Amino acid sequence: MDCKVEKMPDFKVIGFYKDIAQGTGFQACPKFWDRIKNKYFSRLDDDSPISRAIQGNNVGELAVCIHSPDNPDYFGYMIAGFYKGGDLPVGMTMYELKHSKWAKFRCIGAMPNAIQELSERIWKEWVPNSTYYEPLGETCIEWYSNGDTNADDYVAEIWLPVRDKPLTK
């Protein structure tokens, strides 16, 4: 598994938010993408506040999963981009991430299957076997490159906030 760990400063994301029931993400998240693409991405030339926010913050570059201990049956899901400034249009959400260390896993293949398969491998293989890091568990980010998401050589990443594992005696 291709993984690198790097520090990142605090950052904000902006995008579209939906609560997703636990266990349904592999079906519900792609449907949410389709809904948002059809509703907003197909008319980005209309100069609306949402169109300006999508283009100005590259909304769609990220998908952010937000886990809440207060609502264990659901997780928040955002189709997002890095917030670069400007107004928050009605219908969009902003979220701030304060983690400094991220494990970044490279993913190559057609979406959504490749990213879903990598996610399974991270949680079943990397997390239980990592010697140096443990996930913080609050968020997970999918980063999407420009290009054809259906191509076999499409590049994406999954980012997990991590901390150093305590030393054992």
Side-chain angles (χ1 to χ4, degrees):
M1 209 172 314
D2 184 2
C3 176
K4 63 183 175 191
V5 176
E6 59 184 56
K7 290 183 180 182
M8 291 178 61
D10 296 352
F11 60 96
K12 293 179 183 177
V13 297
I14 183 174
F16 301 96
Y17 179 92
K18 179 176 178 61
D19 284 321
I20 305 283
Q22 292 289 356
T24 68
F26 284 177
Q27 297 79 35
C29 294
K31 286 180 184 175
F32 184 48
W33 274 94
D34 288 343
R35 191 178 120 238
I36 294 301
K37 283 182 196 176
N38 291 335
K39 186 171 183 178
Y40 297 110
F41 286 53
S42 61
R43 56 184 179 105
L44 290 176
D45 58 354
D46 67 3
D47 198 39
S48 68
I50 284 185
S51 292
R52 287 193 304 272
I54 290 170
Q55 292 175 354
N57 300 288
N58 203 24
V59 172
E61 179 179 7
L62 307 172
V64 182
C65 297
I66 306 162
H67 301 281
S68 170
D70 298 333
N71 194 0
D73 296 333
Y74 290 86
F75 65 93
Y77 187 79
M78 285 183 72
I79 297 170
F82 292 103
Y83 178 65
K84 296 177 177 103
D87 294 332
L88 179 65
V90 172
M92 295 183 88
T93 301
M94 190 177 308
Y95 186 72
E96 186 169 358
L97 295 120
K98 295 188 174 278
H99 308 293
S100 61
K101 241 182 222 183
W102 292 82
K104 296 183 177 185
F105 301 86
R106 187 173 176 87
C107 177
I108 299 175
M111 299 295 121
N113 292 347
I115 204 119
Q116 292 176 351
E117 289 170 9
L118 177 61
S119 179
E120 290 278 327
R121 288 186 62 215
I122 289 168
W123 291 104
K124 288 180 179 176
E125 297 171 26
W126 187 84
V127 169
N129 297 309
S130 175
T131 306
Y132 303 107
Y133 302 103
E134 59 188 13
L136 293 175
E138 299 121 12
T139 53
C140 174
I141 293 177
E142 298 167 0
W143 170 81
Y144 297 101
S145 66
N146 290 325
D148 179 4
T149 59
N150 296 310
D152 291 337
D153 62 349
Y154 180 75
V155 177
E157 292 180 345
I158 294 179
W159 302 353
L160 294 179
V162 295
R163 65 178 165 226
D164 295 338
K165 274 191 171 176
L167 297 174
T168 56
K169 295 181 182 183

